[in-house]
C-alpha cells in the first residue's frame, strides 16, 4: 500500500496549512494505535501518516478520519483523538 494524499495536497501545502516548517510522510507499516479511555489500545490501519514536528496525523483506512498523536519510544504512533475526515480541519487542530 502506498500513501494516498487527498487531491491537491503536497507535503509543502500540508506544512503551510499546519504552520510548520515541514511535513514528512512516514512509512505505512508504522504501528498506529488509538489509546482508549479504558486503558486499552485499538489498532488503526493507516492509509496516510504525516509527521509535523512532534505531532503526527494518521488517516484511518477504514473510515478516512484523521487521528492525532505522537511517536513513542518504540516507533509506534500513539493517538489520543480523532479530528474528522477533512485534512485541512485536522491540520488546523494542531
Amino acid at each position: 500500500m502506498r500513501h494516498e494524499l487527498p487531491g491537491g495536497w503536497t507535503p509543502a501545502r500540508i506544512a503551510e496549512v499546519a504552520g510548520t516548517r515541514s511535513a514528512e510522510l512516514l512509512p505505512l507499516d508504522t504501528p498506529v494505535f488509538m489509546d482508549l479511555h479504558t486503558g486499552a489500545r485499538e489498532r488503526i490501519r493507516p492509509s496516510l501518516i504525516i509527521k509535523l514536528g512532534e505531532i503526527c496525523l494518521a488517516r484511518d483506512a477504514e473510515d478516512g478520519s484523521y487521528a492525532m498523536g505522537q511517536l513513542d519510544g518504540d516507533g509506534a504512533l500513539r493517538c489520543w483523538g480523532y479530528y474528522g475526515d477533512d485534512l485541512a480541519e485536522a491540520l488546523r487542530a494542531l
Side-chain angles (χ1 to χ4, degrees):
M1 180 181 243
R2 50 176 271 204
H3 286 282
E4 300 172 13
L5 284 172
W9 287 93
T10 63
R13 181 172 176 221
I14 290 169
E16 180 183 332
V17 172
T20 63
R21 288 187 281 212
S22 66
E24 175 186 355
L25 300 181
L26 297 182
L28 292 177
D29 62 355
T30 301
V32 181
F33 298 95
M34 176 60 68
D35 287 335
L36 304 174
H37 297 288
T38 61
R41 295 189 307 179
E42 179 180 279
R43 183 91 188 231
I44 297 172
R45 186 174 59 90
S47 61
L48 177 65
I49 305 172
I50 307 165
K51 185 173 188 289
L52 302 145
E54 297 295 317
I55 304 294
C56 297
L57 286 176
R59 184 173 58 202
D60 189 326
E62 298 286 320
D63 66 6
S65 60
Y66 289 92
M68 189 179 298
Q70 289 183 299
L71 294 171
D72 67 15
D74 296 325
L77 178 54
R78 305 286 300 268
C79 299
W80 54 75
Y82 285 103
Y83 291 81
D85 61 1
D86 182 274
L87 179 56
E89 291 301 317
L91 291 169
R92 288 185 189 104
L94 291 173

